[in-house]
Amino acid sequence: MAKEARALYELKEKAAKYYRENGVPQKMEEIMNSMFYDNPVDIYGHLADYFQSFAKSPSITQIKARKALDGKGQTTLQTDVFCTVNNKSKMMSSTVSSSVNPSLPETTKPEEMEEEANEREKNVQAALQIINSELCARLKDREPNNQEELDKIVCGYIEELKEAEEERLAREAEDNAAGEAVDPDGKTPGSGAAKSEKPKSGKGKGGKGGPPVVIVPDEPKEKLVEGSACVSAVSQALCVAGACAMGTELYEYIAQLRFGQAPKQYRMPLPMVTIFQSGRSAPGKANAIKEYMVVPAPGKPLSESIPKIVAVYNDIIKAIMGKNGIQIKNVTDIGALMMPFDRPEQGLDMILESMGRLGFTPGEDLYLALNLAGHEYFDYEKGKYEVVTGQQKVAEDLVEYWADILTRYPAIIAIIDPMRKQEDRQWMLLCERLSEKCYILGDRVWHRPGLLKDEEPKDTFKSSGTVYRLEQMNTVTDILQCAQLMEGENNITVLSTNIGETSDTFLADMAVGMSAHFLKLGAPCRGERVSKLNRLLAIEQTLQDGGQVSLQSEFVFPAIKIPPPPETDNAEPEEVPTPKETPKKK
């Protein structure tokens, strides 16, 4: 008995020491004393909340990915993040990312589109393998709310794969070069004088005999490792898991990532809602405008503006169905109407006429924006922009063309990618002409955020705003950091959905959290588009109830001027001051 009593005493001493070291008696005394005065309705819920504040932070236990479908029925990724919470494994997030955007224009031949679809499928399959194996192992036991650190781990692994692939290709090239046979004359195949092909160039405005148009070729596409779609998918899932771990709203968590702390007031982004989709892939002759969009007026709640945009969309459907029958109601992948326009102004006129029928004033109640996608209607054989089938313009003429359109339609407050970035001089001419009354937004003309944020700003190419997409190698951290840098260069922030969008509402929260000026959504049709609008309305209502909504002020267009030419060696030397004079500061 004495031995058993001694063992029991030692066990009690160990237990007492264990509880003292962890501060359990003190915490029990504090909560018991305070709870009597708090008098909570749910006593044990109150105790659970109290002790939860002392629990260990959640840590990642597993990341699982599987195939899912986007709004077009294409294969994409669904990513789940599991964490240890209160000693149990719990799913913290489950997100469905948008599918990879097509890199080919919509006018591409069917066989080439099929080849790209196969590449997309391979990309998704490789991403699944990467997420479920290596990334799961590398991210295990880490806290999900360290977004920047986790994004670096994901990108770091993809860079390792890229370097390994480049080394493999280099070795193959060396082996092929060493294995080439030498002919009897001692010449290797292909060592003869190669025929130099003269690059094609179009004619200038003068037609035949006019000055040739110098075509600056596009930059080669960035070579991405197969499976790189895992980067944006995992980054998105980790961001949602981080917000869940912190017990905050997703937009609040993203605001903390962007600004260091959650702001007292949140600015709601203005949705860019597409009504018509046109361009070279659409029927008709008009090529120069890919999307006709309607934008709410600043200073008004979205709960008031969004119904007006939806009313315009539905009114146009009724009008065109009355003239052309029900078959015209077919919509594109982004939910937009596709009409056979023969000139770009037709779409603008139809939208303005609809606003008039509904009693809305263009330029006061609603505004217009255009996605021009200049790289898509550029004719590489002729070196010109085919604004209308059979009507081509060189870049200089395109400046005058858009200046005339904006003069006649003052309700247009934004245009996206009016021309290729290779026409940097003409781009800056256009900015100097139009930037004081319209945002000149850059989408495909800029590199992806992960590269753009590390580039030195240039005086020879600027824009009023930058469009960001969460896709492929883009991470949440890259977009937030790049937006901060570009805003320092007077570039407003535009967040955009993708073509292969899903019903996941992550982008709506991200646009609110990062204080984006615009959220480019597509049409107010199809679930994957409407879900973002509904989420914006829900966020706005929550913020209104808490007095945290800050309405956007009137549009402010930063003026972009062409920088003065650099000084040449032939310039006259500056006057040297005499000893009595004080040199002026430059």
Side-chain angles (χ1 to χ4, degrees), residues 241-275:
C244 183
M246 295 286 289
T248 63
E249 292 283 354
L250 181 55
Y251 60 83
E252 183 179 356
Y253 177 71
I254 293 174
Q256 292 174 3
L257 296 176
R258 168 66 178 84
F259 302 104
Q261 61 181 3
K264 295 181 179 179
Q265 298 285 320
Y266 289 85
R267 182 179 65 192
M268 295 299 297
L270 298 178
M272 287 181 164
V273 181
T274 307
I275 304 298

Side-chain angles (χ1 to χ4, degrees), residues 147-156 158 228-236 238-239 257 448-451 453 468-483 495 506 510 514:
Q147 186 73 36
E148 184 175 355
E149 176 188 343
L150 300 178
D151 283 344
K152 284 182 179 178
I153 293 173
V154 175
C155 291
I158 297 300
S228 57
C230 70
V231 174
S232 59
V234 172
S235 183
Q236 176 180 339
L238 290 171
C239 189
L257 296 176
R448 63 178 176 86
L451 301 176
K453 67 184 179 66
Y468 304 96
R469 285 183 171 84
L470 187 60
E471 61 175 357
Q472 288 282 62
M473 284 290 292
N474 295 340
T475 66
V476 172
T477 300
D478 284 341
I479 292 176
L480 297 181
Q481 291 181 349
C482 189
L495 194 62
F506 178 86
M510 187 172 182
M514 68 186 297

Side-chain angles (χ1 to χ4, degrees), residues 274-337:
T274 307
I275 304 298
F276 294 115
Q277 192 168 7
S278 186
R280 300 189 76 167
S281 61
K285 298 180 180 179
N287 299 326
I289 300 178
K290 186 174 183 178
E291 292 179 73
Y292 296 80
M293 298 175 286
V294 176
V295 182
K300 298 180 181 179
L302 297 184
S303 57
E304 177 184 330
S305 300
I306 290 178
K308 291 180 180 178
I309 296 177
V310 175
V312 170
Y313 181 80
N314 291 330
D315 178 77
I316 291 176
I317 289 177
K318 292 178 184 177
I320 59 179
M321 285 178 63
K323 294 180 180 180
N324 303 282
I326 195 166
Q327 70 273 11
I328 201 65
K329 195 185 175 182
N330 293 333
V331 297
T332 66
D333 292 331
I334 63 172
L337 304 168

Side-chain angles (χ1 to χ4, degrees), residues 146-179:
N146 293 327
Q147 186 73 36
E148 184 175 355
E149 176 188 343
L150 300 178
D151 283 344
K152 284 182 179 178
I153 293 173
V154 175
C155 291
Y157 178 65
I158 297 300
E159 287 300 322
E160 291 177 16
L161 293 180
K162 184 177 181 180
E163 291 174 4
E165 179 67 10
E166 289 174 350
E167 290 177 1
R168 184 186 66 81
L169 294 176
R171 287 195 303 269
E172 287 184 359
E174 291 176 0
D175 294 342
N176 292 336

Side-chain angles (χ1 to χ4, degrees), residues 299-414:
K300 298 180 181 179
L302 297 184
S303 57
E304 177 184 330
S305 300
I306 290 178
K308 291 180 180 178
I309 296 177
V310 175
V312 170
Y313 181 80
N314 291 330
D315 178 77
I316 291 176
I317 289 177
K318 292 178 184 177
I320 59 179
M321 285 178 63
K323 294 180 180 180
N324 303 282
I326 195 166
Q327 70 273 11
I328 201 65
K329 195 185 175 182
N330 293 333
V331 297
T332 66
D333 292 331
I334 63 172
L337 304 168
M338 187 174 284
M339 294 287 293
F341 297 140
D342 292 327
R343 54 187 180 85
E345 294 90 339
Q346 283 181 276
L348 296 170
D349 292 338
M350 290 185 68
I351 295 174
L352 295 180
E353 289 169 4
S354 175
M355 290 182 185
R357 288 193 296 268
L358 296 169
F360 304 147
T361 303
E364 292 184 12
D365 297 312
L366 297 171
Y367 290 83
L368 300 174
L370 305 175
N371 180 14
L372 306 180
H375 58 286
E376 293 190 10
Y377 67 97
F378 181 75
D379 190 325
Y380 287 90
E381 292 185 356
K382 299 179 180 179
K384 298 181 181 180
Y385 292 87
E386 192 174 36
V387 294
V388 175
T389 301
Q391 180 183 345
Q392 287 136 350
K393 295 182 180 292
V394 294
E396 287 82 359
D397 295 339
L398 203 61
V399 174
E400 299 299 326
Y401 182 79
W402 291 123
D404 174 63
I405 292 285
L406 264 69
T407 300
R408 290 188 286 120
Y409 295 89
I412 300 174
I413 53 91

